[in-house]
Amino acid sequence: MKQILSLISLFLSSVLQGQGLTEAIRLNQVGYYHHLPKVAVVAAPAQQNIFFVLDAVTADTVFKGRLSDERKSTNSSLTTRVIDFSAWQKEGRYYIDVPGVGKSYSFAIGKEVHRAVADALLKGFYFQRSDQSLDGRHAGKWKRAAGHPDTAVVIHPSAASALRPAGTVIASPGGWYDAGDYNKYIVNSGITMYTLLTAYEDFPAYYKKLNTQIPESNDSIPDLLNEVLYNLRWMLTMQDPKDGGVYHKCTNAGFDGMVMPGVTKAPRYVVQKSTAATLDFAAVTAQAARVFKLYNKELPGLADSCLSASRLAWNWAVGNPDVRYDQDQLNKRFSPPITTGAYGDRSLRDEWLWAAAELFATTKQKAFFDTIVKHRSDPVVLPSWAAVGMLAYYTLARHQLALPSYARATVAAMEDSIMRKANQLADNYKKTAFYTTMGLSQRDFVWGSSAVAANAGILLLQAYQFTRQQKYLEAALSNADYLLGRNATGYCFVTGFGTRSPRHPHHRPSVADGVADPVPGLLAGGPNPGRQDSCDYPFTEPETAYTDLDCSYASNEIAINWNAPAVYLLHALEAIPASITLRKNNSR
Ligand code: 9MR
Ligand code: 9MR
């Protein structure tokens, strides 16, 4: 009955809105929490200074307010006016009308407004599983056969060692496909796994209850951790057990065509061991050891294996401190040439810091602390696959009470760095054209800009968890609003959500599966004025350089390291009211 009613209301609202619908009103197309700020933006000249909020079912005006003064965007030629309807707190479905501009898409106000999209973003990882078939029960109309089995992967000449000469065959099954392509990269798995494991470390009670309808949902391990396990088991196969070094990636020599996974049978290789991959692996396995220790009964021995693997990797890195992955150089020396994603980081200081931090938080051994002190560097930048230093800050700050007392002062200073960065964002975003921290710097609009927004959200939520000050939560929410539609493109960047979301992501299964709708719960890369794909872009300024074409890997691909921070951000917004209650209860 409830469903029928909401269908009727959706139908009514589309009829009522049929007249004068505009894309110029940019808002969180999914919804707003009744008790938190509600802001939309109008990105077209308005004749009057007024706006109305209307009930989507009855078309009654429930609220009216004044538009802000005009704001000039610093990231495009757009000017905007802000629509603040925070004072309207009643749950329901609404739309906004700006006289002379038009009516917005309809949206929800209520509790748990981000629950479904957050769950779908996590489910997105299930859809990226490489060696499993996705059945109708869990994948719906996106069911598909298993992809690359990776049970016979060839040691590429760049990866040869005495005991595993070139041409040796190993098994490296499982793990998520990285993105729209079908390869598996350790460096990018690193930050992705950290982000999901950290979501669990920050909100365990929330994730213990969460069911995302994956094949493992009925076992006694939280779904989030089951998903992480699927990739962890693959990562463990990427370590050479003889010396501890970790292969940089498991890959085809060149990208597959736009076909379903497993259709092409091109040989798969593990290529060169690298210090970045090995340190990222050491970090993830040290963190996994900490988290899975709590599930020793269900997963006997796993935590210990992870910690041994981590130490072995660390020791390899100590003996090989600066082995870069440089694909051009590699291709001059070895064949076949490898032309898939490089993830070739040139600065490893941050990888050292992060791996040391995870190993220190897990083992409390002084030697790791010494590395932390040596590699700590300010100013810290938002995390990305190539810049993982901040992850060390988060981990040490989170676990500071459990660390040896000699670490306290250093960690307190690291927490201060997080707070400084959070303050820069929280103190300035309300002045921007789209009322979001995204775009405070024009450099936010890079390949995968959506992850910049989500990672800024995580940073702000770390600050919130230290201070419990609402301003950080609200600033984080501003970036959720950005991702879900309050931005210069007018898109909600998560497939399958909102009124206008990507229909043609650069995602091979979505292109090749014959299903009109793209695989849901995937976050598009977002505006990237670099436009390295040379596709047609309707707009080219930093915050508008986005195109919903499947050729556009530079703005419209999807990737695990972009989905993960969006999972964290949106689930955290859902979990935080719950965790506050929980802490109060616990302290009684
Ligand atoms: O599909 C590939 C995508 O995953 C990468 O991010 C991108 C950049 O490395 O490359 C894509 O593959 C394209 C290749 O680089 C050039 N030929 C067309 C391929 C598919 O669009
Ligand atoms: O996310 C990566 C981005 O930072 C780089 O600029 C870009 C070009 O090297 O590669 C991106 O990563 C792609 C990877 O190389 C291959 N799989 C798809 C990834 C997302 O586009």
Side-chain angles (χ1 to χ4, degrees):
M1 186 62 188
K2 212 172 157 195
Q3 264 171 352
I4 295 175
L5 275 181
S6 68
L7 274 180
I8 294 174
S9 79
L10 272 180
F11 173 75
L12 276 177
S13 71
S14 55
V15 171
L16 290 169
Q17 281 180 273
Q19 296 268 306
L21 188 71
T22 179
E23 287 176 1
I25 301 175
R26 305 292 160 77
L27 42 69
N28 182 328
Q29 296 171 24
V30 174
Y32 295 88
Y33 293 111
H34 62 102
H35 63 297
L36 288 177
K38 298 167 208 69
V39 172
V41 147
V42 51
Q47 286 138 15
Q48 304 166 40
N49 282 334
I50 193 158
F51 71 87
F52 301 96
V53 178
L54 294 92
D55 186 300
V57 179
T58 63
D60 290 339
T61 297
V62 297
F63 185 82
K64 69 177 179 201
R66 300 214 147 267
L67 302 176
S68 77
D69 289 343
E70 215 164 70
R71 297 173 175 208
K72 167 99 204 59
S73 177
T74 51
N75 301 303
S76 72
S77 43
L78 290 171
T79 54
T80 65
R81 285 162 179 256
V82 171
I83 298 169
D84 188 337
F85 55 109
S86 305
W88 181 253
Q89 303 204 333
K90 193 160 170 245
E91 292 182 29
R93 230 185 141 78
Y94 303 94
Y95 62 94
I96 293 168
D97 190 340
V98 178
V101 175
K103 295 165 184 164
S104 75
Y105 308 131
S106 73
F107 57 87
I109 293 180
K111 305 189 185 85
E112 299 185 9
V113 282
H114 295 128
R115 177 66 193 266
V117 63
D119 289 2
L121 282 158
L122 178 53
K123 184 74 173 269
F125 287 86
Y126 166 73
F127 284 109
Q128 291 295 97
R129 292 188 187 187
S130 58
D131 78 338
Q132 293 182 352
S133 60
L134 311 185
D135 59 71
R137 232 184 96 210
H138 302 102
K141 63 183 171 185
W142 298 280
K143 65 178 187 249
R144 62 161 171 83
H148 302 70
D150 288 341
T151 46
V153 172
V154 180
I155 303 275
H156 186 261
S158 63
S161 57
L163 290 164
R164 285 182 167 184
T168 307
V169 173
I170 65 166
S172 189
W176 306 305
Y177 292 131
D178 184 56
D181 63 326
Y182 292 145
N183 304 298
K184 306 185 291 191
Y185 309 83
I186 287 290
V187 165
N188 205 40
S189 266
I191 184 169
T192 304
M193 293 285 276
Y194 169 89
T195 306
L196 295 178
L197 283 165
T198 295
Y200 184 78
E201 287 198 286
D202 281 350
F203 307 104
Y206 183 83
Y207 281 109
K208 276 179 190 152
K209 285 196 233 134
L210 184 72
N211 182 333
T212 53
Q213 312 286 338
I214 55 175
E216 302 83 1
S217 284
N218 292 326
D219 71 11
S220 51
I221 295 164
D223 280 4
L224 174 92
L225 293 183
N226 273 316
E227 199 53 64
V228 160
L229 266 177
Y230 179 73
N231 201 61
L232 179 63
R233 294 206 158 103
W234 164 67
M235 288 183 80
L236 292 169
T237 71
M238 290 291 283
Q239 182 174 46
D240 181 344
K242 296 294 185 304
D243 65 7
V246 177
Y247 304 110
H248 196 71
K249 55 178 167 172
C250 174
T251 183
N252 287 10
F255 286 112
D256 274 336
M258 300 307 276
V259 296
M260 289 303 280
V263 168
T264 51
K265 306 287 177 200
R268 302 273 279 181
Y269 299 94
V270 291
V271 299
Q272 192 205 296
K273 292 166 189 163
S274 71
T275 308
T278 305
L279 287 171
D280 287 353
F281 173 101
V284 167
T285 47
Q287 186 184 20
R290 205 161 64 225
V291 171
F292 285 109
K293 188 114 200 138
L294 310 165
Y295 291 90
N296 241 343
K297 213 171 74 221
E298 294 83 353
L299 300 160
L302 179 70
D304 289 346
S305 312
C306 285
L307 189 53
S308 318
S310 179
R311 289 182 187 281
L312 202 60
W314 177 266
N315 291 340
W316 186 90
V318 169
N320 301 271
D322 200 17
V323 183
R324 320 274 174 99
Y325 184 80
D326 181 337
Q327 203 154 266
D328 293 336
Q329 287 304 100
L330 180 147
N331 286 337
K332 286 184 189 140
R333 295 174 54 206
F334 304 105
S335 114
I338 303 293
T339 57
T340 53
Y343 289 118
D345 198 354
R346 283 187 294 268
S347 155
L348 303 182
R349 201 182 160 88
D350 52 316
E351 281 75 13
W352 279 104
L353 175 62
W354 178 36
E358 296 303 338
L359 274 156
F360 183 56
T362 301
T363 67
K364 323 276 193 293
Q365 281 172 8
K366 177 79 168 44
F368 297 118
F369 181 69
D370 296 340
T371 308
I372 292 169
V373 171
K374 185 166 147 216
H375 287 280
R376 207 189 124 202
S377 60
D378 277 327
V380 282
V381 294
L382 278 185
S384 69
W385 64 263
V388 292
M390 185 73 102
L391 309 183
Y393 283 61
Y394 296 164
T395 291
L396 295 172
R398 171 176 314 105
H399 294 286
Q400 56 186 296
L401 296 178
L403 297 177
S405 54
Y406 59 76
R408 297 269 161 86
T410 302
V411 176
M414 292 171 92
E415 185 176 319
D416 286 347
S417 300
I418 299 175
M419 291 307 301
R420 263 199 304 281
K421 180 96 189 152
N423 285 331
Q424 274 168 23
L425 301 175
D427 294 341
N428 292 301
Y429 77 98
K430 290 184 180 172
K431 295 174 234 156
T432 65
F434 288 88
Y435 205 90
T436 149
T437 86
M438 184 59 185
L440 273 172
S441 160
Q442 209 170 87
R443 285 187 304 263
D444 289 347
F445 297 101
V446 291
W447 190 320
S449 56
S450 292
V452 176
N455 273 306
I458 295 181
L459 177 107
L460 289 156
L461 290 171
Q462 298 303 309
Y464 176 76
Q465 289 170 86
F466 302 147
T467 62
R468 298 284 162 193
Q469 278 181 38
Q470 190 77 358
K471 70 170 189 177
Y472 301 112
L473 181 68
E474 292 179 2
L477 181 64
S478 83
N479 279 6
D481 291 342
Y482 168 89
L483 290 173
L484 301 177
R486 196 177 69 223
N487 61 57
T489 72
Y491 280 89
C492 163
F493 290 120
V494 183
T495 55
F497 286 82
T499 310
R500 187 182 194 213
S501 60
R503 300 289 303 162
H504 308 287
H506 184 86
H507 179 242
R508 282 167 173 73
S510 294
V511 172
D513 63 7
V515 178
D517 295 329
V519 171
L522 302 177
L523 180 65
N528 169 16
R531 293 182 287 132
Q532 292 86 341
D533 47 42
S534 310
C535 296
D536 285 333
Y537 283 65
F539 306 100
T540 57
E541 292 176 309
E543 66 183 347
T544 57
Y546 168 76
T547 187
D548 183 20
L549 295 176
D550 60 33
C551 63
S552 183
Y553 51 77
S555 82
N556 205 29
E557 190 163 355
I558 65 92
I560 56 173
N561 63 315
W562 308 338
N563 255 58
V567 167
Y568 183 110
L569 171 61
L570 293 168
H571 266 152
L573 292 173
E574 290 289 304
I576 276 170
S579 67
I580 292 171
T581 324
L582 203 82
R583 270 177 213 194
K584 274 195 206 135
N585 288 346
N586 283 352
S587 65
R588 272 189 207 132

